[in-house]
Amino acid sequence: MRVNRILLSSALVVVALVIQVSVLARLHLPGAVPDLMLLTVLGLALVYGHVGGALVGFGAGLLADLAPPADHAAGRYALVLCVIGYLAGLVKPETGRLKSATGPMVVVVAAALGSTLLYAGVGALVGDTAARHVGLGSLLFTAALYDLLLAPFVVPGVMALARRAENDPLAETGSAAKATDISSGWLSGGTGLKIGSQRNGLRVKAARARMARAGRIKGVKRL
């Protein structure tokens, strides 16, 4: 990974971990805790690809394993996020553009369910049966729900920052400069706005308005 990728990924992972531990974990919501770390890894994996996603996932998971108040075996969450980051990176668009929000939302739900199942499975192997007492079905439903609600506010921003870092003058920007920001597909799919052509549309409307005013001044009636 390039230096700019490492710096950006480290900063985003640390911020996500601090918010998750100090804010989200203290909300005491029923079932699972919204996984901001998972969403950050997904956003980076959708830009960096499967190799970068796996590396970011492993680093983020290992940091979460070692950060207090972690009460599970070290390396458990690192394995989960490494696998999730690798799989999420495999669905990275070849053109760097997402045409709708449907695909990313499906990735978020699949990642939430997969990470919960994998975490519980690894826990069962090491003798951690906490998921049985809470209820695996409840954990799966709440994890998918919370992450799906939080994803539109996290993943597009992470992807936009990652794409901006990729367009750094020191990086290889031959193809990145030609591609539209990867997060624009998510935003346009969720809001119905054509972000790429919005400015051009406003310019055309302004030009037509000026022409109409000029025509009225000259006394020419325009249809």
Side-chain angles (χ1 to χ4, degrees), residues 36-129:
L36 189 59
M37 294 281 285
L38 174 66
L39 297 178
T40 302
V41 170
L42 289 179
L44 294 173
L46 289 173
V47 178
Y48 295 157
H50 60 284
V51 176
L55 293 175
V56 172
F58 179 80
L62 187 60
L63 182 62
D65 287 331
L66 300 177
D71 56 353
H72 54 267
R76 181 176 170 186
Y77 200 47
L79 173 62
V80 172
L81 287 187
C82 180
V83 174
I84 296 299
Y86 179 85
L87 295 177
L90 292 177
V91 299
K92 170 191 173 183
E94 293 295 334
T95 60
R97 179 179 174 83
L98 298 173
K99 297 182 179 180
S100 69
T102 304
M105 287 298 186
V106 172
V107 173
V108 170
V109 173
L113 297 177
S115 62
T116 303
L117 288 172
L118 186 57
Y119 187 82
V122 175
L125 293 177
V126 298
D128 185 358
T129 59

Side-chain angles (χ1 to χ4, degrees), residues 115-191:
S115 62
T116 303
L117 288 172
L118 186 57
Y119 187 82
V122 175
L125 293 177
V126 298
D128 185 358
T129 59
R132 297 180 182 178
H133 301 292
V134 177
L136 185 57
S138 175
L139 285 177
L140 290 173
F141 175 76
T142 53
L145 177 62
Y146 296 154
D147 291 348
L148 191 60
L149 293 176
L150 189 60
F153 304 99
V154 178
V155 179
V158 171
M159 295 170 70
L161 290 175
R163 290 297 299 172
R164 182 171 296 182
E166 289 295 278
N167 291 331
D168 190 276
L170 298 178
E172 298 175 2
T173 56
S175 60
K178 298 179 181 179
T180 307
D181 190 348
I182 194 170
S183 64
S184 63
W186 184 301
L187 296 175
S188 63
T191 60

